[in-house]
């Protein structure tokens, strides 16, 4: 006779344990993007759901062509579901392209871009080159300002997640002063800038500035609460100086506009300047063949280079500007015990 006792106890967050992520079908595809940077630390916040949304959003903004988005969706689906049904890193990448293709189609419609051809009389979003907005007497492309605004929101979400993590660990004041206060500042500043450019009623500007100043004052004045001695006095000044770092981070999102603009210009040149003239000179069957050949070759090159650049710079924004606000990495991915088979052939 013998007895067996089995006990189960959750590993506390203070101790080491490998990380096992249990994300649902869509979110699971973006785990490899996060893991390229670092696996989440055991017990920490899993960023894949939020990262998946912003990664797809930025990818769609950069690529911004409805036909490109359709190709991304079809190509990603065929590879992941038909050619390679096992869930691997490549199939997850293919599905990331699939979900990003949805946003690419959306932005393609908003920018009125279909293989570089305009399908409608007028685009919904402003023209990336011609349409500008006045900011303190300086003419700035409106879409560039849109990209920077998306960056501000991205950073605000990161600060909000940092606050939530503080709240979960019982650090309520840290969540308010290190997260919410700075979100209040950036939210007020963003609304103030939009109002200053004339896109909101004039009465919004003053309240937005007041909100921004209050958020800045609370965030800066409380930043030295954990410091000792002279640090309690100097820390608020260093926090204000740290706004320069925030501004440089926001300017990093200008790459979204630059990549989108370059891809759109190449698509337009291939379609309207190179392929379309072939239909009239030389014209005929040869012109049609030349037109199709230029369209295929030019757009395949553009989408391949565009997706490569979009993935790299999109990931960079997630890792540097976003993860730096809240993310705890340095984890080790859980690897379950498995089986190893050997085939021995007997003659």
């Amino acid at each position: 006779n013998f007895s067996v006792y089995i006990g189960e106890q959750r590993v506390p967050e203070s101790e080491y344990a490998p990380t096992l992520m249990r994300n649902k079908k869509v979110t699971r595809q973006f785990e490899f993007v996060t893991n390229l940077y670092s696996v989440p630390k055991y017990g920490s916040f899993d960023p894949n759901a939020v990262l998946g949304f912003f990664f797809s959003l930025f990818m769609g903004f950069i690529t911004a062509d409805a036909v490109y988005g359709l190709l991304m969706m079809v190509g990603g689906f065929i590879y992941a579901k038909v050619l390679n049904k096992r869930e691997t890193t490549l199939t997850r990448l293919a599905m990331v392209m699939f979900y990003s293709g949805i946003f690419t189609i959306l932005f393609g419609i908003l920018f009125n871009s279909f293989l570089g051809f305009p399908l409608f009389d007028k685009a919904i979003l402003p023209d990336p080159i011609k349409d500008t907005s006045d900011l303190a007497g300086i003419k700035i492309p409106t879409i560039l300002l849109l990209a920077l605004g998306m960056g501000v929101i991205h950073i605000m979400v990161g600060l909000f997640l940092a606050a939530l993590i503080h709240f979960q660990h019982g650090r309520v004041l840290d969540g308010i002063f290190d997260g919410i206060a700075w979100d209040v500042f950036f939210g007020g500043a963003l609304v103030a800038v939009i109002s200053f450019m004339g896109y909101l009623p004039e009465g919004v500007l003053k309240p937005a500035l007041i909100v921004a100043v209050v958020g800045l004052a609370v965030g800066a004045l409380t930043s030295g609460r954990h410091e000792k001695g002279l640090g309690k006095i100097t820390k608020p000044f260093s926090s204000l100086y740290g706004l320069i770092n925030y501004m440089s981070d926001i300017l990093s999102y200008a790459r979204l506009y630059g990549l989108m603009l370059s891809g759109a210009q190449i698509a337009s040149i291939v379609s309207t300047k190179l392929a379309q003239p072939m239909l009239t000179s030389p014209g005929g069957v040869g012109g049609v063949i030349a037109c199709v050949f230029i369209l295929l070759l030019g757009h395949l090159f553009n989408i391949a280079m565009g997706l490569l650049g979009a993935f790299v710079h999109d990931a960079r924004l997630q890792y540097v500007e976003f993860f730096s606000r809240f993310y705890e990495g340095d984890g080790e991915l859980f690897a379950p015990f498995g089986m190893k088979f050997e085939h021995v052939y007997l003659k």
Side-chain angles (χ1 to χ4, degrees):
N1 296 328
F2 64 91
S3 300
V4 177
Y5 173 78
I6 299 176
E8 183 176 307
Q9 183 178 2
R10 181 179 178 86
V11 180
E13 294 183 14
S14 59
E15 297 183 13
Y16 164 78
T19 303
L20 174 63
M21 290 178 281
R22 297 183 180 275
N23 290 306
K24 295 184 178 180
K25 186 175 181 180
V26 175
T27 305
R28 189 169 65 246
Q29 311 307 320
F30 292 90
E31 289 179 0
F32 96 97
V33 180
T34 298
N35 295 343
L36 282 176
Y37 177 74
S38 180
V39 176
K41 181 182 177 182
Y42 170 75
S44 66
F45 177 78
D46 185 346
N48 286 289
V50 184
L51 174 138
F53 172 77
F54 280 107
F55 191 91
S56 302
L57 176 69
F58 293 163
M59 182 77 75
F61 183 84
I62 292 171
T63 314
D65 186 279
V67 179
Y68 285 8
L70 183 61
L71 292 175
M72 290 165 63
M73 292 187 67
V74 173
F77 183 84
I78 290 176
Y79 182 83
K81 302 300 181 180
V82 179
L83 299 180
N84 189 358
K85 296 182 180 181
R86 296 183 299 110
E87 191 171 61
T88 64
T89 299
L90 288 179
T91 57
R92 288 187 174 188
L93 174 61
M95 290 308 297
V96 167
M97 293 298 108
F98 174 86
Y99 294 120
S100 300
I102 298 174
F103 286 91
T104 303
I105 292 175
L106 174 62
F107 278 111
I109 294 173
L110 294 176
F111 281 114
N112 194 20
S113 178
F114 301 80
L115 279 183
F117 291 109
L119 191 62
F120 311 118
D121 293 334
K122 187 178 180 181
I124 299 175
L125 288 177
D127 186 279
I129 300 177
K130 298 178 182 178
D131 293 335
T132 60
S133 297
D134 186 88
L135 182 60
I138 303 175
K139 297 292 184 181
I140 302 175
T142 305
I143 298 302
L144 172 58
L145 294 175
L146 175 62
L148 298 179
M150 291 167 60
V152 173
I153 294 173
H154 195 212
I155 291 174
M156 288 177 63
V157 172
L159 291 169
F160 180 73
L161 293 177
L164 288 183
I165 294 171
H166 284 305
F167 293 154
Q168 289 175 353
H169 290 81
R171 302 187 296 264
V172 178
L173 292 180
D174 289 343
I176 294 175
F177 295 144
D178 295 339
I180 301 301
W182 291 104
D183 263 349
V184 170
F185 162 68
F186 282 114
L190 180 62
V191 173
V193 170
I194 296 174
S195 177
F196 185 74
M197 292 188 299
Y199 293 108
L200 292 174
E202 293 183 2
V204 176
L205 178 59
K206 186 175 180 179
L209 288 175
I210 294 175
V211 169
V213 171
V214 170
L216 179 61
V218 172
L221 293 176
T222 59
S223 61
R225 64 189 182 279
H226 295 309
E227 302 294 327
K228 296 181 179 179
L230 191 61
K232 291 185 176 295
I233 300 175
T234 60
K235 187 63 177 180
F237 293 99
S238 64
S239 296
L240 292 175
Y241 182 77
L243 288 176
I244 297 176
N245 294 329
Y246 275 115
M247 295 302 106
S248 65
D249 289 343
I250 293 172
L251 288 175
S252 293
Y253 291 85
R255 70 187 68 229
L256 296 175
Y257 171 73
L259 291 168
M260 183 273 293
L261 186 60
S262 63
Q265 287 295 93
I266 293 175
S268 179
I269 290 172
V270 169
S271 296
T272 61
K273 304 297 183 181
L274 298 178
Q276 193 173 20
M278 294 292 104
L279 298 177
T280 55
S281 177
V285 177
V288 172
I289 295 174
C291 177
V292 173
F293 178 77
I294 292 173
L295 285 174
L296 288 175
L297 187 62
H299 286 293
L300 284 176
F301 170 80
N302 190 32
I303 194 172
M305 296 302 295
L307 288 178
L308 177 61
F311 184 91
V312 171
H313 290 280
D314 193 347
R316 191 261 181 203
L317 291 174
Q318 309 301 328
Y319 298 157
V320 179
E321 274 69 36
F322 189 52
F323 278 2
S324 62
R325 313 297 166 194
F326 68 93
Y327 184 60
E328 293 181 82
D330 297 327
E332 183 175 334
L333 199 61
F334 173 76
F337 292 112
M339 293 177 289
K340 182 180 180 181
F341 297 95
E342 291 185 1
H343 298 274
V344 179
Y345 295 92
L346 301 176
K347 294 184 179 180

